[in-house]
Amino acid sequence: MNIPNSIDLSCDEIGFISKEIFKITIDEIGQVNETLFANFDLDRLKDEEQNYFIYSSSQDDLINKHPILLNYKTKILKNILKNNYFEFSDDITKKTKKIEQVGYFAKYNHLKEFDFYHWKNVDFLPSNQKLTVNEALKYVVNYRKEKSLKKAIFEYYQEQMVEGKYYFLYPFCVAKYIKDVNIAIRLLLLDFNHFFTEIIDHNSLEYFLQYLTKNYSDKQIENLLKSYLKQEMFWFLDSLDLFAELNDEMRDNFMKVSCRYDALHDEIVSYHRLIMEQKLLDTKYIYTNKQNKANITIESYTVKLPITGKELYDWATRLHNCMAGYSSLIEQCKTTIYGFFKNEQIIFAVEIKNGKIVEARAKYNEELSKEQMNIVFKWYEEHILKKKEDT
């Protein structure tokens, strides 16, 4: 951009120099970086619609609000698409409206249609070939020949895309492991979509179905999956997450139990706890000051964080639940477990993830009483929610 730099008073002319104001870079893995080289008074922006001033310290947030920078961003996007720096297909070039979408298709340059932007976990698609949506759906159906199954998977895709997101790993696993075509089609009609956003290890669904098809009939698996939908999300997600933490040998040696959601979960918890015990002995957790500040006494309860893996294991043993399986998630700062104690005895535990209460359970995963939940909500509002608002 040319900006005024000097004035020649003798001829009343303004001199200009070229200066970088705003730059966007997109690397080979699709990472987008936006850099400012000038001060646009970004600490104070007026929202024209609401007629008040916005204060923000986030550069990304400010760039997306400032009209001049938004204009620059639009021009850069148009230039990228016009010159086709990333050799996008016509469909992607025509439908791309955001720099973030450019980064996405720069990273996944084997995908040839814009609709893939709404597919979840595309890393699981084959990357060694150029893919259209039609070719990718053939992969999802595992190249099976039954026309009715193909039709069901294509219809499932169309229905999901109405909502703007498609989690293909579920129909992929159904087509791969459920041999009875009629049962496979019925399973596609089950509404598991709300579960998928909560799955931590997306390999877990395939691991679990591998085990199920090895030990149970397709009909038993259908009844099991239906039963999960009648229960709280916990039973399905927790079983998947813990089962995924077992290695291949452990999963192969996992014993057959009754094909019921509760029996499977209890056995997974027991087996997982057994193999995790030694590993947890040497584990120590590190917490932020904000996490530690929620360690308080509230009414008759003392709230604590587990300091070591052994302590977490002891909590899980006393509550007869699967908390020990969350050790790696705690280490990775993906979740936090707080124990509520009375007279040095743990009464129940609360899981906080992304600033929200995910679970609050007593012994044997029993629900808390109304009085206990009131205490949890009071603690959450004063020591978790308030901290989140202050950040």
Side-chain angles (χ1 to χ4, degrees), residues 11 22 69 79 141 164 185 202 217 225 252 312 349 368 384:
C11 57
F22 175 52
L69 295 174
N79 184 268
V141 82
I185 291 171
H202 290 276
S217 69
L225 294 181
D252 288 340
L312 181 69
L368 305 190
I384 302 294

Side-chain angles (χ1 to χ4, degrees), residues 37-298:
F37 298 99
N39 183 2
F40 280 81
D41 192 22
L42 294 181
D43 290 330
R44 188 182 183 195
L45 294 173
K46 188 173 182 181
D47 187 315
E48 298 297 342
E49 294 182 4
Q50 302 295 332
N51 198 30
Y52 63 85
F53 285 98
I54 303 168
Y55 295 85
S56 177
S57 58
S58 165
Q59 176 174 284
D60 291 344
D61 184 46
L62 294 167
I63 287 171
N64 288 317
K65 284 187 172 70
H66 199 289
I68 295 177
L69 295 174
L70 274 176
N71 184 47
Y72 289 163
K73 199 169 180 178
T74 300
K75 288 183 176 180
I76 292 171
L77 175 61
K78 288 181 178 178
N79 184 268
I80 291 172
L81 297 176
K82 179 181 178 181
N83 292 283
N84 203 9
Y85 292 120
F86 297 100
E87 300 182 351
F88 290 157
S89 68
D90 290 342
D91 182 67
I92 291 173
T93 300
K94 186 185 302 182
K95 296 178 181 178
T96 294
K97 305 297 181 186
K98 300 178 181 178
I99 288 290
E100 294 73 19
Q101 293 167 346
V102 173
Y104 182 86
F105 287 106
K107 179 178 181 179
Y108 301 111
N109 58 11
H110 61 297
L111 304 179
K112 296 289 121 183
E113 292 186 52
F114 184 81
D115 279 359
F116 282 115
Y117 187 70
H118 302 292
W119 286 45
K120 304 302 176 185
N121 307 109
V122 294
D123 296 284
F124 287 88
L125 289 171
S127 58
N128 59 349
Q129 62 187 88
K130 305 293 184 182
L131 289 176
T132 63
V133 167
N134 189 59
E135 290 162 343
L137 287 174
K138 290 178 182 177
Y139 172 77
V140 172
V141 82
N142 279 271
Y143 305 100
R144 287 177 61 165
K145 303 299 182 183
E146 299 97 328
K147 291 182 180 180
S148 57
L149 181 59
K150 291 180 184 178
K151 180 182 177 183
I153 283 183
F154 275 70
E155 289 177 348
Y156 178 86
Y157 169 69
Q158 291 172 342
E159 290 172 5
Q160 300 310 305
M161 288 297 288
V162 170
E163 298 181 3
K165 54 186 176 182
Y166 176 54
Y167 185 90
F168 75 90
L169 290 176
Y170 176 64
F172 171 81
C173 289
V174 168
K176 184 174 181 179
Y177 293 102
I178 304 300
K179 301 308 178 186
D180 186 310
V181 65
N182 293 318
I183 292 177
I185 291 171
R186 291 199 296 269
L187 288 178
L188 292 175
L189 299 176
L190 300 182
D191 185 14
F192 271 94
N193 292 332
H194 59 293
F195 288 92
F196 301 142
T197 56
E198 302 294 330
I199 291 177
I200 296 168
D201 183 348
H202 290 276
N203 287 300
S204 60
L205 186 60
E206 184 161 10
Y207 293 148
F208 196 50
L209 274 173
Q210 279 179 335
Y211 166 77
L212 293 178
T213 52
K214 177 182 174 182
N215 292 281
Y216 309 104
S217 69
D218 287 354
K219 185 61 181 177
Q220 286 177 302
I221 296 170
E222 179 185 13
N223 290 334
L224 174 68
L225 294 181
K226 284 182 177 179
S227 71
Y228 282 123
L229 294 178
K230 298 176 182 178
Q231 308 303 322
E232 293 184 32
M233 193 182 297
F234 158 80
W235 292 99
F236 181 70
L237 294 178
D238 204 56
S239 296
L240 259 64
D241 288 340
L242 294 181
F243 200 71
E245 289 192 6
L246 307 178
N247 62 34
D248 291 342
E249 182 181 0
M250 293 169 183
R251 286 193 290 269
D252 288 340
N253 293 331
F254 187 74
M255 68 180 293
K256 180 177 179 179
V257 296
S258 176
C259 192
R260 301 194 325 268
Y261 74 92
D262 50 352
L264 274 167
H265 180 265
D266 290 348
E267 189 60 34
I268 291 172
V269 168
S270 297
Y271 189 51
H272 184 275
R273 185 184 297 150
L274 181 66
I275 63 167
M276 290 292 289
E277 181 177 6
Q278 187 59 45
K279 178 182 176 182
L280 290 173
L281 290 177
D282 300 323
T283 302
K284 292 185 178 180
Y285 307 120
I286 298 174
Y287 299 105
T288 65
N289 289 334
K290 291 178 181 178
Q291 288 173 308
N292 282 316
K293 284 181 179 178
N295 286 344
I296 54 99
T297 297
I298 180 166

